[in-house]
Amino acid sequence: MNSAALPVPAAAAGDDARPAAPQGPAASSGHALLSQLGGEVAAALSRALEQVTAVATTGKISRQGLLELREQIERARLTGIMGQQIERLASGRVRQAPERVDLTALLRETVTQHRRQALARGIEVRQLLGPAQVMADPALMFTLAEALLAWALEHARARLEMRIELNEWPVYARLLCSFRFLSDEEVDASLVAFGDPPLRTISWRLLEQAARTMELPIRLDEDGVTGRLTIEFPRTVNDPSEVAALRDRADAERMGINSKPLAGSHLLVIAARRETRSLVRDAVRHMGLMIDYVNTVEEAREFCRGGIPHAVLHESALGGERFERLRLDLLAEMPKLAFIELAEDGQGLQTQRVSEREYSRVGRDAIIESLPAALMYELSRPR
């Protein structure tokens, strides 16, 4: 069995061996990572170019072909964004502020966030999640969970199993993720490749780097057909003195600057005017958000069929009955989805109540100052 793991002490070998905490230099050098990043982006764009060439030749493209073209372009874009996130985490600029995080709730919410993507790929996500709370930086935990689902859904063929277990002593939470990365047809056709499996893509590098940044032991094992990931959380909350010590450390680290505080979050902007898009882009440039733009409510609905973002910003002129139907439909699937209205009038950040829920409202003239605050508020407050 091959193992993509950080070194495990020889005395800890065996089925119950705990993966070693990340130490020393990154598993991949900067040159190797850059080469891999370029290779994955080029591969996706090459497939997209083949489809564009076919369209130019025939003058036709099917709906399925258009979806495949969009998927390849989106894959290239996401790969580039992941590369930026890896660089940020590896640079040492991130200042961690550990808090009590409900690992179980976070993972469930992340799975819900990716439900449509899983369904589109015919992947069943089985969740066997025991209760676990850990002390960790919430933003980094969010990045870790997002990277985990992105990586697993990229490679899983049929079913994906997520499990959270608690070790009795010493007490720590263990997150397990397993799936087959080769289908029965591929195995029957003797397509099993020898050597490294196709699991160590850029999404894996991001997951690995996020764990390394948080000093979480991580190990990936594979047998040529099935992959099994293990992440351990040594700072599982079980001792009040441990919580107090971690909070003292967090207070000291808050003195540093945490650049790009919302890195990994996804914002969908519904705006018909090019000027609005430019204003939004300038306002959140420093926050590390992934942003997509659509012109109409109908385009937003179509976009969300491929995956629901974490927040939706819309021009007030595009509100109304159709937008409210979209809002209700999305909230039925993702109850914590954040909505922000960009108003033509008004100053600063305000709140408004719609159907027993409060939403943020930002005045257009104050978008540079107020939109970052609105996003931080909406994406962090409990619902």
Side-chain angles (χ1 to χ4, degrees), residues 3-318:
S3 177
L6 298 167
V8 180
D15 293 341
D16 296 328
R18 297 182 59 184
Q23 298 175 0
S28 298
S29 68
H31 292 297
L33 180 63
L34 183 61
S35 176
Q36 181 178 357
L37 180 64
E40 290 190 26
V41 171
L45 291 180
S46 294
R47 288 190 289 268
L49 183 59
E50 290 177 3
Q51 293 174 294
V52 171
T53 301
V55 173
T57 301
T58 64
K60 299 178 181 179
I61 185 171
S62 65
R63 178 176 177 82
Q64 181 61 33
L66 186 60
L67 291 175
E68 291 175 358
L69 176 60
R70 173 181 172 180
E71 181 179 352
Q72 295 304 329
I73 296 174
E74 181 70 7
R75 179 178 294 276
R77 185 179 75 109
L78 290 177
T79 299
I81 291 173
M82 288 180 184
Q84 292 176 328
Q85 290 179 282
I86 295 170
E87 187 279 331
R88 170 179 171 265
L89 292 174
S91 69
R93 295 195 302 268
V94 177
R95 297 291 184 266
Q96 299 185 52
E99 299 177 9
R100 186 191 297 261
V101 176
D102 189 329
L103 176 61
T104 305
L106 173 63
L107 196 59
R108 282 177 177 158
E109 182 178 345
T110 307
V111 170
T112 300
Q113 193 85 34
H114 291 267
R115 188 180 69 86
R116 291 190 179 191
Q117 182 183 359
L119 289 175
R121 298 185 180 184
I123 299 172
E124 174 194 356
V125 181
R126 185 183 183 194
Q127 302 179 64
L128 302 171
L129 308 179
Q133 295 197 15
V134 300
M135 290 297 290
D137 181 87
L140 281 177
M141 284 293 293
F142 171 79
T143 299
L144 182 80
E146 284 287 320
L148 171 60
L149 263 295
W151 170 73
L153 290 176
E154 177 185 351
H155 297 289
R157 286 294 181 264
R159 190 174 76 175
L160 170 63
E161 182 172 295
M162 313 286 291
R163 183 188 298 268
I164 293 178
E165 301 174 346
L166 279 179
N167 191 65
E168 292 186 1
W169 187 258
V171 177
Y172 62 88
R174 181 191 295 117
L175 171 59
L176 305 171
C177 174
S178 60
F179 54 85
R180 292 187 59 168
F181 57 85
L182 288 178
S183 65
D184 290 336
E185 292 76 12
E186 290 171 322
V187 174
D188 292 342
S190 299
L191 294 180
V192 179
F194 294 97
D196 287 345
L199 298 180
R200 296 164 185 83
T201 51
I202 289 297
S203 57
W204 163 256
R205 302 301 179 190
L206 176 57
L207 174 59
E208 184 182 39
Q209 184 60 57
R212 183 182 299 277
T213 301
M214 289 190 286
E215 300 180 345
L216 301 179
I218 180 172
R219 183 174 68 221
L220 172 61
D221 299 310
E222 58 82 23
D223 59 6
V225 177
T226 302
R228 178 182 172 88
L229 170 72
T230 305
I231 304 177
E232 291 183 3
F233 296 83
R235 298 171 181 173
T236 300
V237 178
N238 65 304
D239 185 345
S241 63
E242 178 186 5
V243 176
L246 287 168
R247 284 177 177 165
D248 290 341
R249 175 180 172 182
D251 290 339
E253 291 183 331
R254 283 194 182 99
M255 299 302 291
I257 298 175
N258 189 3
S259 62
K260 300 187 182 301
L262 294 182
S265 296
H266 186 188
L267 172 66
L268 177 63
V269 179
I270 311 175
R273 290 180 288 180
R274 186 185 300 271
E275 178 189 358
T276 299
R277 300 183 179 202
S278 297
L279 284 172
V280 172
R281 187 179 297 110
D282 291 341
V284 302
R285 188 184 304 276
H286 66 289
M287 304 188 78
L289 285 161
M290 182 170 65
I291 309 177
D292 281 293
Y293 301 90
V294 294
N295 294 308
T296 66
V297 175
E298 288 74 16
E299 290 181 11
R301 183 179 292 278
E302 180 66 24
F303 180 90
C304 290
R305 288 195 176 99
I308 302 177
H310 301 103
V312 175
L313 171 70
H314 74 284
E315 290 180 312
S316 57
L318 296 177

